[in-house]
Amino acid sequence: MATLDDEVHYDDPARHLVRRSALRLKLLDHSTTGAIVAVATSSLPEHVGGVRNWDYRYTWVRDAAFSTYVLRGIGLLSEADAFLRWTLTCAERDGKPSIMYTLVGGQPGEETEDPDSEGWSGSAPVPWGNGAAG
């Protein structure tokens, strides 16, 4: 079985840093669908303890395209190709591309706030969904 060291093709003094970054990108890759999630959590505050929190548990196509460019550049071709196939399938199915998708290719739900939960470092309210999809 190939390891990340076998797959990453990058020879430079900073190879260990590129490898660590590649590992993080792979952890955001949904291997079943090919989607690349922006962040693996919700409730990321604009300011710690602030009321403006965001749910980024979606694939933002533009941002994931940058990740795909990097994955392809360091030799992780299967992940890059899976994202491209998935994105094209979603756009073809919907008749047009969207700026973001859920990990299974749908649209995020309406943005709502959960007043009973706290986000990172007490930031509240916790949002679910993402109104930017519309």
Side-chain angles (χ1 to χ4, degrees):
M1 177 178 210
T3 67
L4 188 61
D5 281 330
D6 297 331
E7 294 178 42
V8 173
H9 303 293
Y10 187 83
D11 294 319
D12 187 270
R15 186 177 196 290
H16 68 287
L17 296 174
V18 171
R19 186 184 167 280
R20 286 182 63 92
S21 295
L23 178 58
R24 288 188 175 124
L25 287 176
K26 283 184 67 85
L27 290 170
L28 296 172
D29 172 50
H30 192 268
S31 63
T32 304
T33 64
I36 299 174
V37 68
V39 177
T41 187
S42 72
S43 309
L44 288 178
E46 189 172 283
H47 302 285
V48 176
V51 297
R52 293 185 59 140
N53 300 301
W54 311 107
D55 187 355
Y56 284 110
R57 298 169 301 139
Y58 303 102
T59 295
W60 290 71
V61 174
R62 183 201 63 174
D63 297 351
F66 291 133
S67 297
T68 301
Y69 178 79
V70 170
L71 291 170
R72 179 168 292 287
I74 60 173
L76 299 176
L77 304 180
S78 63
E79 292 83 350
D81 291 346
F83 172 72
L84 180 58
R85 277 193 307 276
W86 176 79
T87 305
L88 292 173
T89 298
C90 291
E92 212 172 274
R93 178 201 63 219
D94 296 344
K96 63 182 172 87
S98 180
I99 64 165
M100 77 172 69
Y101 295 99
T102 64
L103 293 181
V104 295
Q107 289 298 302
E110 292 282 325
E111 191 169 313
T112 60
E113 293 181 352
D114 181 353
D116 298 323
S117 297
E118 287 187 357
W120 187 63
S121 291
S123 301
V126 170
W128 301 111
N130 198 306

